[in-house]
Amino acid sequence: MPRFMGFVRMAEGPEVGAPPQALFDAMDVYIGEQAAKGHFLDGGGLYGTEDAVNFVVRKGEITRVDGPYAESKEIVGGWSLLQYDTLEEAIVASEEFAQLHATHWPELNMVSTLRQISDEPPTPADA
């Protein structure tokens, strides 16, 4: 059964504000339903970038970069690990998830991304 990773990207900061309680309530119901069907495996929100740590690799050199990141326009604010029988079912559910945000937090600008998880190891570039 294919697995998928969902991401929510949005602006960060005081201008965005906190999600409304109505969204939390609707998400609790939706995630509960999806989990009961075996589709929602795990997920959650992420803390802001003020405590984030990145390791950047450039030409074989590693540099640690700590947040906050003033140049960031959008950040990943949440994630989910999902499982559906088909890509089409995952797409329908992803649109339902986006609709919850449009309905309960209409002033929010966000991108909800769905990506299928590969079950195969990547092929080396020099193969």
Side-chain angles (χ1 to χ4, degrees):
M1 185 175 296
R3 293 179 306 145
F4 302 87
M5 193 73 158
F7 299 96
V8 174
R9 293 185 322 222
M10 62 185 73
E12 177 182 48
E15 65 277 355
V16 176
Q21 187 61 47
L23 178 61
F24 283 117
D25 296 343
M27 290 295 294
D28 284 346
V29 171
Y30 180 74
I31 289 171
E33 292 170 353
Q34 293 297 307
K37 295 176 185 176
H39 299 309
F40 181 85
L41 304 179
D42 199 2
L46 300 173
Y47 288 111
T49 58
E50 65 274 2
D51 296 317
V53 177
N54 286 317
F55 289 93
V56 179
V57 177
R58 287 192 184 105
K59 298 182 181 180
E61 297 291 324
I62 300 171
T63 305
R64 178 179 166 161
V65 182
D66 296 334
Y69 307 101
E71 70 279 358
S72 295
K73 300 279 190 240
E74 290 183 338
I75 63 153
V76 175
W79 63 279
S80 58
L81 179 59
L82 309 163
Q83 183 168 281
Y84 290 91
D85 290 328
T86 66
L87 173 61
E88 292 75 23
E89 288 176 340
I91 290 170
V92 168
S94 190
E95 185 174 3
E96 290 171 352
F97 172 81
Q99 184 61 54
L100 286 176
H101 287 77
T103 299
H104 298 287
W105 198 4
E107 60 277 6
L108 175 69
N109 294 320
M110 71 162 224
V111 176
S112 178
T113 301
L114 178 72
R115 295 180 65 183
Q116 188 165 349
I117 297 171
S118 174
D119 291 325
E120 302 289 327
T123 304
D126 57 356

